[in-house]
Amino acid sequence: MAARRAAREVSAARGALRVAVARSAARRASIMHEARGAREATPMTRRYLEDLKIGEKWMSEKMTLHAEDIIDFGCKFDPQPFHTDMEAAKAGPFGGLIASGWHLAAVAMKLCVRARLFGETPIVGVGADELRWLLPVRPGDVVYVERELVEIITHPDKPKRGIAKGRIDLKNQRDELVMRLYGLTSIPRRPADDLK
């Protein structure tokens, strides 16, 4: 009897996961369509290291984290009960389902990429410093990124590129800081022909 009940529970969980994955795929398709439209509608220019100014700030669009997305990411990349199972998470250290910190880092990256903060210049990450997860993010929370350029680094042995160091704060709908990191991005220097 217990084995049958366990089998039914496993079957129900698999069914719920299939539905969550289907919803997630539909949401991804919609997001990609929106991103293509935004790129086509907004002319962008390439930004070089010389165009950047310490103290530059911007805020991203907002994004809602849904239970299905949290569970999907958790099952794939951080399979702990408080990321993968609504019921088991209630007995866990956070009293409910929360997003993986790695999920939050990926969300922050997505929001930065979609904002096109360097115009047509791709974001070529070379590292992250001081990554901290400060508050749990739960299903239904709405997050956004505030970024500030805090340092521009040049190296004599790398004359064609430099590093832009930005403080990346992920905040929730209550403007509470949930994650902070310092992202290091390799940015091209302006070609000598353009300086004339």
Side-chain angles (χ1 to χ4, degrees), residues 1-14:
M1 182 129 171
R4 279 191 212 146
R5 188 175 73 204
R8 281 195 305 271
E9 288 174 0
V10 167
S11 178
R14 286 183 180 150

Side-chain angles (χ1 to χ4, degrees), residues 109-176:
M109 181 66 189
K110 176 181 180 175
L111 292 172
C112 289
V113 169
R114 288 186 67 176
R116 307 288 299 269
L117 58 151
F118 298 120
E120 290 179 357
T121 304
I123 296 177
V124 179
V126 295
D129 291 340
E130 301 178 46
L131 172 60
R132 300 291 183 269
W133 297 299
L134 305 165
L135 289 174
V137 172
R138 301 179 186 279
D141 279 353
V142 179
V143 296
Y144 64 94
V145 167
E146 284 184 355
R147 176 195 162 273
E148 180 177 359
L149 186 59
V150 296
E151 189 176 359
I152 296 172
I153 305 163
T154 58
H155 293 289
D157 58 331
K158 295 181 181 176
K160 293 185 178 183
R161 299 191 78 83
I163 303 291
K165 182 176 183 178
R167 185 180 62 241
I168 298 169
D169 288 343
L170 189 69
K171 295 186 175 183
N172 65 18
Q173 68 273 19
R174 293 176 295 279
D175 299 320
E176 298 167 325

Side-chain angles (χ1 to χ4, degrees), residues 57-130:
K57 296 180 183 179
W58 64 261
M59 188 169 78
S60 76
E61 64 183 302
K62 296 182 178 183
M63 181 177 174
T64 303
L65 273 82
H66 301 279
E68 298 87 11
D69 298 324
I70 291 171
I71 292 168
D72 183 45
F73 187 97
C75 287
K76 289 178 181 173
F77 304 109
D78 194 353
Q80 300 184 73
F82 46 85
H83 300 319
T84 62
D85 186 312
M86 294 279 278
E87 287 306 311
K90 290 177 184 174
F94 302 100
L97 188 72
I98 65 163
S100 165
W102 301 112
H103 188 178
L104 299 179
V107 165
M109 181 66 189
K110 176 181 180 175
L111 292 172
C112 289
V113 169
R114 288 186 67 176
R116 307 288 299 269
L117 58 151
F118 298 120
E120 290 179 357
T121 304
I123 296 177
V124 179
V126 295
D129 291 340
E130 301 178 46

Side-chain angles (χ1 to χ4, degrees), residues 46 48 50-51 189-196:
R46 179 172 290 274
Y48 296 99
E50 291 78 8
D51 300 325
R189 304 289 301 266
R190 187 175 298 283
D193 294 348
D194 288 1
L195 296 174
K196 296 176 182 176

